[in-house]
Amino acid sequence: MSHITPTQGFNIKSVQSQGFKLNVWDIGGQRKIRPYWRNYFENTDVLIYVIDSADRKRFEETGQEMAELLEEEKLAGVPLLILANKQDLLTAAPASEITEGLNLHIIRDRAWQIQACSAVTGEGVQDGMTWACRNITTRKK
């Protein structure tokens, strides 16, 4: 089994999915770099927000951070995909619990989806990418 570490700082990768070439800005969530996030909002087609489903004590903090992101002018109307990661762990909260905890049901100004997934097993990741690509296409029309 390979060891996957959280993003430290910023990584840029190109990913092929659904006939799209996606330029992905993987931006770490450490508190000290959050002020720099806004430097990456220009021309964003979809926001993919990854949550550690097993870290319930941080749900409130991550919910507040996500709510602030959704208020950003440059992200207005941008579709939101929440990847509820680490579903392979027994301690992981199900997507329904995360939806409630983050008050996702009150989001009315954009398309959004929560996708249970595991970066380790890959389960659910492709479903999330399919949703993201479909919403990029819909938004571009």
Side-chain angles (χ1 to χ4, degrees):
M1 182 168 129
S2 63
H3 182 69
I4 299 169
T5 59
T7 301
Q8 300 292 318
F10 307 89
N11 296 313
I12 304 167
K13 292 187 166 76
S14 288
V15 178
Q16 296 282 345
S17 183
Q18 311 287 311
F20 284 87
K21 179 183 178 192
L22 304 171
N23 294 315
V24 178
W25 300 80
D26 180 8
I27 305 173
Q30 296 83 11
R31 200 174 264 117
K32 67 181 183 285
I33 65 171
R34 290 178 191 167
Y36 300 105
W37 286 1
R38 64 182 31 89
N39 296 327
Y40 297 87
F41 295 164
E42 199 74 42
N43 299 316
T44 298
D45 292 317
V46 66
L47 177 62
I48 302 174
Y49 197 83
V50 182
I51 293 175
D52 181 341
S53 300
D55 193 355
R56 285 178 167 84
K57 10 181 228 311
R58 291 192 58 210
F59 286 177
E60 184 177 341
E61 177 188 348
T62 199
Q64 290 171 346
E65 202 62 55
M66 188 180 68
E68 286 179 31
L69 272 176
L70 298 181
E71 295 293 319
E72 291 284 342
E73 188 177 326
K74 290 180 180 172
L75 295 176
V78 171
L80 170 66
L81 171 63
I82 300 103
L83 291 177
N85 192 25
K86 300 193 181 177
Q87 291 294 315
D88 53 303
L89 301 179
L90 293 174
T91 56
S96 58
E97 181 181 324
I98 296 168
T99 299
E100 284 297 312
L102 300 182
N103 291 316
L104 297 178
H105 56 279
I106 66 169
I107 298 173
R108 303 259 187 259
D109 63 342
R110 70 192 69 232
W112 65 270
Q113 172 74 21
I114 185 164
Q115 177 65 54
C117 69
S118 167
V120 172
T121 68
E123 187 174 343
V125 175
Q126 188 58 53
D127 292 335
M129 294 307 292
T130 298
W131 182 91
C133 290
R134 189 172 56 243
N135 278 274
I136 291 170
T137 303
T138 302
R139 190 161 185 259
K140 293 277 186 192
K141 288 182 181 175

